[in-house]
Amino acid sequence: PAGCRGEYQYRLWCTFEASVVRLRELPVSICGYELSKRQLSLAMFGSMLVLPPWAANYGSEVEVLGKVNFFQLSASSVHLWTTCVLLYVTPAQSTVIIVEYVILNFFLISVYIFARFILADQVMLARNAKRVLSIMLRAAAARRRHADCSSA
């Protein structure tokens, strides 16, 4: 739920404010609670965030994108694993297996690209959130380093 401890909204700043802060290299401070695990994941992976379908829903628009990424990663991994098993079990059919792998992989990637196109707003939000959260985390780290150096 919005407003819970450590669960900030993904739209921390609007894009304009974040870009002005970045362009002017203004100092950024973090106050309040530490970032949640999901926010740290978003800061690290951005629009490539992976969320399993059983992950708790917090009403974020980016969660759907994370679950689409999970399904793509899962489908690609299972497809690669089964292809390797088939190649091991029936090496005489290797040409057919490889052709089928390429065709199905092309289909999976096409569906994934189409899904990301449909979720373009969520992709943009995740990229902006990554930028903003990364700026905040770097500023907090710099402030901690500065505090450590001045106390030593």
Short mmCIF file of all heavy atoms in Angstrom, two decimals, residues 84-137:
data_model
loop_
_atom_site.label_atom_id
_atom_site.label_comp_id
_atom_site.label_asym_id
_atom_site.label_seq_id
_atom_site.Cartn_x
_atom_site.Cartn_y
_atom_site.Cartn_z
N CYS A 84 18.69 -27.90 -25.16
CA CYS A 84 19.94 -28.60 -24.82
C CYS A 84 19.68 -30.07 -24.49
O CYS A 84 20.44 -30.95 -24.91
CB CYS A 84 20.63 -27.90 -23.66
SG CYS A 84 21.29 -26.28 -24.09
N VAL A 85 18.61 -30.33 -23.75
CA VAL A 85 18.26 -31.72 -23.41
C VAL A 85 17.93 -32.50 -24.68
O VAL A 85 18.39 -33.64 -24.87
CB VAL A 85 17.08 -31.76 -22.41
CG1 VAL A 85 16.54 -33.17 -22.27
CG2 VAL A 85 17.53 -31.23 -21.05
N LEU A 86 17.15 -31.91 -25.56
CA LEU A 86 16.79 -32.59 -26.82
C LEU A 86 18.02 -32.86 -27.68
O LEU A 86 18.13 -33.91 -28.31
CB LEU A 86 15.78 -31.76 -27.61
CG LEU A 86 14.34 -31.79 -27.09
CD1 LEU A 86 13.48 -30.78 -27.85
CD2 LEU A 86 13.76 -33.18 -27.19
N LEU A 87 18.94 -31.91 -27.72
CA LEU A 87 20.18 -32.12 -28.49
C LEU A 87 21.01 -33.26 -27.89
O LEU A 87 21.66 -34.01 -28.62
CB LEU A 87 21.00 -30.83 -28.54
CG LEU A 87 20.49 -29.75 -29.49
CD1 LEU A 87 21.26 -28.47 -29.29
CD2 LEU A 87 20.58 -30.22 -30.93
N TYR A 88 20.99 -33.36 -26.58
CA TYR A 88 21.73 -34.44 -25.93
C TYR A 88 21.07 -35.80 -26.17
O TYR A 88 21.75 -36.79 -26.42
CB TYR A 88 21.83 -34.15 -24.43
CG TYR A 88 22.56 -35.22 -23.67
CD1 TYR A 88 23.96 -35.30 -23.73
CD2 TYR A 88 21.87 -36.14 -22.89
CE1 TYR A 88 24.64 -36.28 -23.04
CE2 TYR A 88 22.54 -37.14 -22.20
CZ TYR A 88 23.93 -37.20 -22.28
OH TYR A 88 24.60 -38.18 -21.59
N VAL A 89 19.74 -35.83 -26.08
CA VAL A 89 19.00 -37.09 -26.19
C VAL A 89 18.94 -37.58 -27.64
O VAL A 89 19.09 -38.77 -27.91
CB VAL A 89 17.58 -36.94 -25.60
CG1 VAL A 89 16.72 -38.17 -25.87
CG2 VAL A 89 17.66 -36.68 -24.11
N THR A 90 18.70 -36.66 -28.58
CA THR A 90 18.56 -37.05 -29.99
C THR A 90 19.51 -36.23 -30.86
O THR A 90 19.09 -35.32 -31.59
CB THR A 90 17.11 -36.82 -30.47
OG1 THR A 90 16.77 -35.45 -30.24
CG2 THR A 90 16.13 -37.73 -29.78
N PRO A 91 20.80 -36.56 -30.83
CA PRO A 91 21.76 -35.78 -31.61
C PRO A 91 21.56 -35.92 -33.12
O PRO A 91 21.96 -35.04 -33.88
CB PRO A 91 23.12 -36.32 -31.17
CG PRO A 91 22.84 -37.64 -30.55
CD PRO A 91 21.44 -37.61 -30.05
N ALA A 92 20.91 -36.97 -33.57
CA ALA A 92 20.68 -37.15 -35.00
C ALA A 92 19.72 -36.10 -35.55
O ALA A 92 19.75 -35.78 -36.74
CB ALA A 92 20.14 -38.55 -35.27
N GLN A 93 18.87 -35.56 -34.70
CA GLN A 93 17.89 -34.56 -35.12
C GLN A 93 18.37 -33.13 -34.82
O GLN A 93 17.55 -32.22 -34.75
CB GLN A 93 16.56 -34.81 -34.38
CG GLN A 93 15.94 -36.15 -34.65
CD GLN A 93 15.41 -36.23 -36.08
OE1 GLN A 93 14.92 -35.24 -36.61
NE2 GLN A 93 15.54 -37.39 -36.69
N SER A 94 19.65 -32.94 -34.70
CA SER A 94 20.17 -31.65 -34.25
C SER A 94 19.77 -30.49 -35.17
O SER A 94 19.45 -29.40 -34.69
CB SER A 94 21.68 -31.71 -34.09
OG SER A 94 22.30 -31.99 -35.32
N THR A 95 19.77 -30.69 -36.47
CA THR A 95 19.42 -29.61 -37.39
C THR A 95 17.98 -29.16 -37.17
O THR A 95 17.70 -27.96 -37.09
CB THR A 95 19.61 -30.06 -38.86
OG1 THR A 95 20.95 -30.54 -39.02
CG2 THR A 95 19.36 -28.92 -39.81
N VAL A 96 17.07 -30.11 -37.06
CA VAL A 96 15.66 -29.79 -36.85
C VAL A 96 15.47 -29.09 -35.51
O VAL A 96 14.72 -28.11 -35.41
CB VAL A 96 14.80 -31.08 -36.93
CG1 VAL A 96 13.37 -30.79 -36.55
CG2 VAL A 96 14.90 -31.70 -38.30
N ILE A 97 16.15 -29.58 -34.50
CA ILE A 97 16.02 -29.00 -33.16
C ILE A 97 16.52 -27.56 -33.15
O ILE A 97 15.87 -26.67 -32.58
CB ILE A 97 16.76 -29.86 -32.12
CG1 ILE A 97 16.07 -31.22 -31.98
CG2 ILE A 97 16.84 -29.16 -30.77
CD1 ILE A 97 16.85 -32.23 -31.18
N ILE A 98 17.63 -27.32 -33.79
CA ILE A 98 18.19 -25.96 -33.83
C ILE A 98 17.29 -25.02 -34.63
O ILE A 98 17.05 -23.88 -34.22
CB ILE A 98 19.63 -25.98 -34.38
CG1 ILE A 98 20.55 -26.66 -33.35
CG2 ILE A 98 20.12 -24.57 -34.70
CD1 ILE A 98 21.95 -26.90 -33.83
N VAL A 99 16.75 -25.48 -35.74
CA VAL A 99 15.83 -24.64 -36.53
C VAL A 99 14.59 -24.31 -35.70
O VAL A 99 14.12 -23.16 -35.68
CB VAL A 99 15.46 -25.34 -37.86
CG1 VAL A 99 14.29 -24.64 -38.54
CG2 VAL A 99 16.67 -25.38 -38.78
N GLU A 100 14.04 -25.31 -35.02
CA GLU A 100 12.87 -25.07 -34.16
C GLU A 100 13.22 -24.10 -33.03
O GLU A 100 12.41 -23.25 -32.66
CB GLU A 100 12.34 -26.38 -33.59
CG GLU A 100 11.64 -27.24 -34.62
CD GLU A 100 11.22 -28.59 -34.06
OE1 GLU A 100 11.57 -28.92 -32.90
OE2 GLU A 100 10.51 -29.30 -34.79
N TYR A 101 14.42 -24.23 -32.48
CA TYR A 101 14.85 -23.31 -31.43
C TYR A 101 14.87 -21.88 -31.94
O TYR A 101 14.36 -20.96 -31.27
CB TYR A 101 16.23 -23.71 -30.90
CG TYR A 101 16.81 -22.73 -29.93
CD1 TYR A 101 16.40 -22.71 -28.61
CD2 TYR A 101 17.75 -21.78 -30.34
CE1 TYR A 101 16.91 -21.79 -27.70
CE2 TYR A 101 18.26 -20.86 -29.44
CZ TYR A 101 17.83 -20.86 -28.14
OH TYR A 101 18.33 -19.95 -27.25
N VAL A 102 15.45 -21.67 -33.11
CA VAL A 102 15.55 -20.32 -33.67
C VAL A 102 14.16 -19.74 -33.95
O VAL A 102 13.87 -18.59 -33.61
CB VAL A 102 16.42 -20.32 -34.95
CG1 VAL A 102 16.33 -19.00 -35.69
CG2 VAL A 102 17.87 -20.65 -34.60
N ILE A 103 13.28 -20.55 -34.52
CA ILE A 103 11.93 -20.07 -34.84
C ILE A 103 11.16 -19.71 -33.58
O ILE A 103 10.55 -18.63 -33.48
CB ILE A 103 11.17 -21.12 -35.68
CG1 ILE A 103 11.80 -21.22 -37.07
CG2 ILE A 103 9.69 -20.77 -35.79
CD1 ILE A 103 11.28 -22.38 -37.90
N LEU A 104 11.18 -20.59 -32.58
CA LEU A 104 10.45 -20.31 -31.35
C LEU A 104 11.05 -19.15 -30.58
O LEU A 104 10.35 -18.33 -30.00
CB LEU A 104 10.37 -21.56 -30.46
CG LEU A 104 9.51 -21.44 -29.21
CD1 LEU A 104 8.08 -21.03 -29.57
CD2 LEU A 104 9.50 -22.74 -28.45
N ASN A 105 12.37 -19.06 -30.61
CA ASN A 105 13.03 -17.94 -29.94
C ASN A 105 12.66 -16.62 -30.62
O ASN A 105 12.44 -15.62 -29.93
CB ASN A 105 14.54 -18.15 -29.95
CG ASN A 105 15.20 -17.58 -28.73
OD1 ASN A 105 14.60 -17.53 -27.67
ND2 ASN A 105 16.43 -17.16 -28.88
N PHE A 106 12.59 -16.62 -31.93
CA PHE A 106 12.16 -15.42 -32.67
C PHE A 106 10.74 -15.03 -32.24
O PHE A 106 10.46 -13.85 -32.01
CB PHE A 106 12.22 -15.67 -34.18
CG PHE A 106 11.71 -14.52 -34.99
CD1 PHE A 106 12.47 -13.38 -35.18
CD2 PHE A 106 10.44 -14.58 -35.55
CE1 PHE A 106 12.00 -12.31 -35.91
CE2 PHE A 106 9.95 -13.51 -36.29
CZ PHE A 106 10.73 -12.39 -36.47
N PHE A 107 9.87 -16.01 -32.10
CA PHE A 107 8.50 -15.76 -31.67
C PHE A 107 8.46 -15.18 -30.26
O PHE A 107 7.77 -14.19 -29.99
CB PHE A 107 7.67 -17.05 -31.75
CG PHE A 107 6.28 -16.90 -31.21
CD1 PHE A 107 5.32 -16.21 -31.92
CD2 PHE A 107 5.96 -17.42 -29.97
CE1 PHE A 107 4.04 -16.05 -31.41
CE2 PHE A 107 4.70 -17.27 -29.45
CZ PHE A 107 3.73 -16.60 -30.17
N LEU A 108 9.22 -15.78 -29.33
CA LEU A 108 9.25 -15.29 -27.95
C LEU A 108 9.77 -13.86 -27.88
O LEU A 108 9.20 -13.02 -27.15
CB LEU A 108 10.13 -16.20 -27.09
CG LEU A 108 9.58 -17.59 -26.75
CD1 LEU A 108 10.65 -18.41 -26.04
CD2 LEU A 108 8.34 -17.47 -25.90
N ILE A 109 10.81 -13.57 -28.61
CA ILE A 109 11.37 -12.22 -28.60
C ILE A 109 10.40 -11.22 -29.22
O ILE A 109 10.24 -10.10 -28.73
CB ILE A 109 12.74 -12.20 -29.30
CG1 ILE A 109 13.76 -12.96 -28.44
CG2 ILE A 109 13.22 -10.78 -29.56
CD1 ILE A 109 15.09 -13.20 -29.10
N SER A 110 9.71 -11.62 -30.28
CA SER A 110 8.72 -10.74 -30.91
C SER A 110 7.59 -10.40 -29.95
O SER A 110 7.17 -9.24 -29.85
CB SER A 110 8.15 -11.39 -32.17
OG SER A 110 9.16 -11.63 -33.10
N VAL A 111 7.09 -11.40 -29.23
CA VAL A 111 6.02 -11.16 -28.25
C VAL A 111 6.52 -10.24 -27.14
O VAL A 111 5.81 -9.33 -26.71
CB VAL A 111 5.49 -12.50 -27.68
CG1 VAL A 111 4.59 -12.28 -26.49
CG2 VAL A 111 4.77 -13.28 -28.77
N TYR A 112 7.75 -10.45 -26.71
CA TYR A 112 8.31 -9.63 -25.64
C TYR A 112 8.47 -8.18 -26.10
O TYR A 112 8.12 -7.24 -25.36
CB TYR A 112 9.66 -10.22 -25.21
CG TYR A 112 10.36 -9.43 -24.14
CD1 TYR A 112 9.81 -9.31 -22.86
CD2 TYR A 112 11.58 -8.81 -24.38
CE1 TYR A 112 10.46 -8.60 -21.87
CE2 TYR A 112 12.24 -8.11 -23.40
CZ TYR A 112 11.68 -7.99 -22.14
OH TYR A 112 12.31 -7.29 -21.17
N ILE A 113 8.98 -7.97 -27.29
CA ILE A 113 9.13 -6.61 -27.81
C ILE A 113 7.78 -5.93 -27.94
O ILE A 113 7.61 -4.75 -27.61
CB ILE A 113 9.90 -6.63 -29.15
CG1 ILE A 113 11.36 -7.00 -28.90
CG2 ILE A 113 9.80 -5.28 -29.86
CD1 ILE A 113 12.16 -7.26 -30.17
N PHE A 114 6.78 -6.67 -28.41
CA PHE A 114 5.43 -6.13 -28.53
C PHE A 114 4.88 -5.76 -27.15
O PHE A 114 4.26 -4.70 -26.98
CB PHE A 114 4.50 -7.13 -29.23
CG PHE A 114 3.12 -6.62 -29.42
CD1 PHE A 114 2.84 -5.62 -30.35
CD2 PHE A 114 2.08 -7.12 -28.66
CE1 PHE A 114 1.56 -5.13 -30.51
CE2 PHE A 114 0.78 -6.65 -28.81
CZ PHE A 114 0.53 -5.65 -29.74
N ALA A 115 5.11 -6.61 -26.16
CA ALA A 115 4.64 -6.33 -24.79
C ALA A 115 5.30 -5.08 -24.23
O ALA A 115 4.64 -4.25 -23.60
CB ALA A 115 4.90 -7.53 -23.88
N ARG A 116 6.59 -4.91 -24.47
CA ARG A 116 7.29 -3.70 -24.00
C ARG A 116 6.80 -2.46 -24.74
O ARG A 116 6.77 -1.38 -24.18
CB ARG A 116 8.80 -3.86 -24.13
CG ARG A 116 9.36 -4.75 -23.03
CD ARG A 116 10.85 -4.90 -23.11
NE ARG A 116 11.57 -3.69 -22.85
CZ ARG A 116 12.03 -3.30 -21.66
NH1 ARG A 116 11.81 -4.04 -20.61
NH2 ARG A 116 12.72 -2.19 -21.53
N PHE A 117 6.40 -2.64 -26.00
CA PHE A 117 5.84 -1.52 -26.76
C PHE A 117 4.50 -1.11 -26.14
O PHE A 117 4.22 0.08 -25.98
CB PHE A 117 5.66 -1.91 -28.23
CG PHE A 117 5.01 -0.86 -29.05
CD1 PHE A 117 5.70 0.28 -29.42
CD2 PHE A 117 3.69 -1.00 -29.45
CE1 PHE A 117 5.09 1.26 -30.18
CE2 PHE A 117 3.07 -0.03 -30.21
CZ PHE A 117 3.78 1.11 -30.57
N ILE A 118 3.68 -2.10 -25.78
CA ILE A 118 2.39 -1.83 -25.15
C ILE A 118 2.60 -1.15 -23.79
O ILE A 118 1.84 -0.27 -23.39
CB ILE A 118 1.59 -3.15 -24.95
CG1 ILE A 118 1.28 -3.79 -26.28
CG2 ILE A 118 0.34 -2.93 -24.13
CD1 ILE A 118 0.17 -3.18 -27.04
N LEU A 119 3.64 -1.55 -23.08
CA LEU A 119 3.94 -1.01 -21.75
C LEU A 119 4.96 0.12 -21.81
O LEU A 119 5.77 0.28 -20.88
CB LEU A 119 4.46 -2.14 -20.86
CG LEU A 119 3.51 -3.31 -20.62
CD1 LEU A 119 4.22 -4.44 -19.92
CD2 LEU A 119 2.29 -2.86 -19.84
N ALA A 120 4.94 0.91 -22.86
CA ALA A 120 5.94 1.96 -23.05
C ALA A 120 5.96 2.96 -21.90
O ALA A 120 7.04 3.42 -21.49
CB ALA A 120 5.70 2.69 -24.37
N ASP A 121 4.80 3.28 -21.34
CA ASP A 121 4.77 4.21 -20.20
C ASP A 121 5.49 3.62 -18.99
O ASP A 121 6.24 4.31 -18.30
CB ASP A 121 3.33 4.55 -19.82
CG ASP A 121 2.66 5.44 -20.84
OD1 ASP A 121 3.37 6.06 -21.66
OD2 ASP A 121 1.41 5.50 -20.83
N GLN A 122 5.28 2.32 -18.74
CA GLN A 122 5.94 1.67 -17.61
C GLN A 122 7.45 1.58 -17.82
O GLN A 122 8.22 1.72 -16.88
CB GLN A 122 5.35 0.27 -17.37
CG GLN A 122 3.97 0.30 -16.76
CD GLN A 122 2.87 0.50 -17.80
OE1 GLN A 122 3.13 0.74 -18.96
NE2 GLN A 122 1.63 0.40 -17.37
N VAL A 123 7.85 1.34 -19.08
CA VAL A 123 9.29 1.31 -19.40
C VAL A 123 9.90 2.66 -19.11
O VAL A 123 10.97 2.77 -18.49
CB VAL A 123 9.52 0.88 -20.87
CG1 VAL A 123 10.97 1.06 -21.27
CG2 VAL A 123 9.07 -0.56 -21.10
N MET A 124 9.21 3.73 -19.54
CA MET A 124 9.71 5.09 -19.30
C MET A 124 9.77 5.39 -17.80
O MET A 124 10.76 5.94 -17.31
CB MET A 124 8.81 6.11 -19.99
CG MET A 124 9.26 7.54 -19.80
SD MET A 124 8.02 8.73 -20.32
CE MET A 124 6.71 8.38 -19.16
N LEU A 125 8.72 5.02 -17.05
CA LEU A 125 8.71 5.25 -15.61
C LEU A 125 9.86 4.50 -14.93
O LEU A 125 10.52 5.04 -14.03
CB LEU A 125 7.39 4.79 -15.01
CG LEU A 125 6.19 5.71 -15.19
CD1 LEU A 125 4.93 5.03 -14.69
CD2 LEU A 125 6.41 7.02 -14.48
N ALA A 126 10.09 3.26 -15.33
CA ALA A 126 11.16 2.47 -14.72
C ALA A 126 12.53 3.07 -15.02
O ALA A 126 13.41 3.11 -14.15
CB ALA A 126 11.09 1.02 -15.20
N ARG A 127 12.72 3.53 -16.25
CA ARG A 127 14.01 4.16 -16.59
C ARG A 127 14.22 5.45 -15.80
O ARG A 127 15.32 5.71 -15.30
CB ARG A 127 14.07 4.45 -18.09
CG ARG A 127 14.28 3.22 -18.92
CD ARG A 127 14.34 3.56 -20.40
NE ARG A 127 14.51 2.34 -21.17
CZ ARG A 127 14.18 2.23 -22.43
NH1 ARG A 127 13.67 3.25 -23.07
NH2 ARG A 127 14.37 1.10 -23.07
N ASN A 128 13.16 6.27 -15.70
CA ASN A 128 13.28 7.51 -14.93
C ASN A 128 13.50 7.22 -13.45
O ASN A 128 14.30 7.90 -12.80
CB ASN A 128 12.02 8.36 -15.12
CG ASN A 128 11.94 8.95 -16.50
OD1 ASN A 128 12.93 9.02 -17.22
ND2 ASN A 128 10.76 9.35 -16.90
N ALA A 129 12.80 6.22 -12.92
CA ALA A 129 12.99 5.86 -11.51
C ALA A 129 14.42 5.39 -11.27
O ALA A 129 15.02 5.72 -10.25
CB ALA A 129 12.00 4.77 -11.12
N LYS A 130 14.98 4.64 -12.22
CA LYS A 130 16.37 4.19 -12.08
C LYS A 130 17.30 5.40 -12.02
O LYS A 130 18.20 5.46 -11.18
CB LYS A 130 16.76 3.28 -13.24
CG LYS A 130 18.20 2.83 -13.16
CD LYS A 130 18.60 1.94 -14.28
CE LYS A 130 20.07 1.55 -14.12
NZ LYS A 130 20.50 0.62 -15.13
N ARG A 131 17.07 6.37 -12.90
CA ARG A 131 17.91 7.56 -12.92
C ARG A 131 17.83 8.31 -11.59
O ARG A 131 18.84 8.67 -11.00
CB ARG A 131 17.46 8.49 -14.06
CG ARG A 131 18.43 8.53 -15.18
CD ARG A 131 18.02 9.52 -16.25
NE ARG A 131 17.80 8.73 -17.45
CZ ARG A 131 16.68 8.63 -18.12
NH1 ARG A 131 15.63 9.32 -17.77
NH2 ARG A 131 16.59 7.89 -19.19
N VAL A 132 16.60 8.55 -11.13
CA VAL A 132 16.40 9.33 -9.91
C VAL A 132 16.95 8.58 -8.70
O VAL A 132 17.67 9.16 -7.88
CB VAL A 132 14.89 9.64 -9.72
CG1 VAL A 132 14.63 10.23 -8.35
CG2 VAL A 132 14.43 10.60 -10.81
N LEU A 133 16.63 7.29 -8.58
CA LEU A 133 17.11 6.52 -7.44
C LEU A 133 18.63 6.41 -7.45
O LEU A 133 19.27 6.45 -6.39
CB LEU A 133 16.46 5.14 -7.42
CG LEU A 133 14.97 5.12 -7.07
CD1 LEU A 133 14.38 3.76 -7.37
CD2 LEU A 133 14.75 5.51 -5.64
N SER A 134 19.23 6.28 -8.63
CA SER A 134 20.69 6.20 -8.72
C SER A 134 21.33 7.51 -8.26
O SER A 134 22.34 7.49 -7.55
CB SER A 134 21.12 5.88 -10.15
OG SER A 134 20.66 4.62 -10.53
N ILE A 135 20.75 8.64 -8.65
CA ILE A 135 21.26 9.94 -8.20
C ILE A 135 21.17 10.04 -6.69
O ILE A 135 22.12 10.46 -6.02
CB ILE A 135 20.47 11.09 -8.87
CG1 ILE A 135 20.78 11.16 -10.36
CG2 ILE A 135 20.79 12.42 -8.20
CD1 ILE A 135 19.87 12.08 -11.14
N MET A 136 20.03 9.62 -6.13
CA MET A 136 19.86 9.69 -4.68
C MET A 136 20.83 8.77 -3.95
O MET A 136 21.42 9.17 -2.93
CB MET A 136 18.42 9.33 -4.32
CG MET A 136 17.40 10.35 -4.78
SD MET A 136 15.71 9.81 -4.52
CE MET A 136 15.64 9.86 -2.74
N LEU A 137 21.03 7.57 -4.47
CA LEU A 137 21.95 6.63 -3.81
C LEU A 137 23.40 7.11 -3.89
O LEU A 137 24.15 6.97 -2.92
CB LEU A 137 21.80 5.24 -4.44
CG LEU A 137 20.49 4.53 -4.11
CD1 LEU A 137 20.34 3.26 -4.94
CD2 LEU A 137 20.40 4.22 -2.63
#
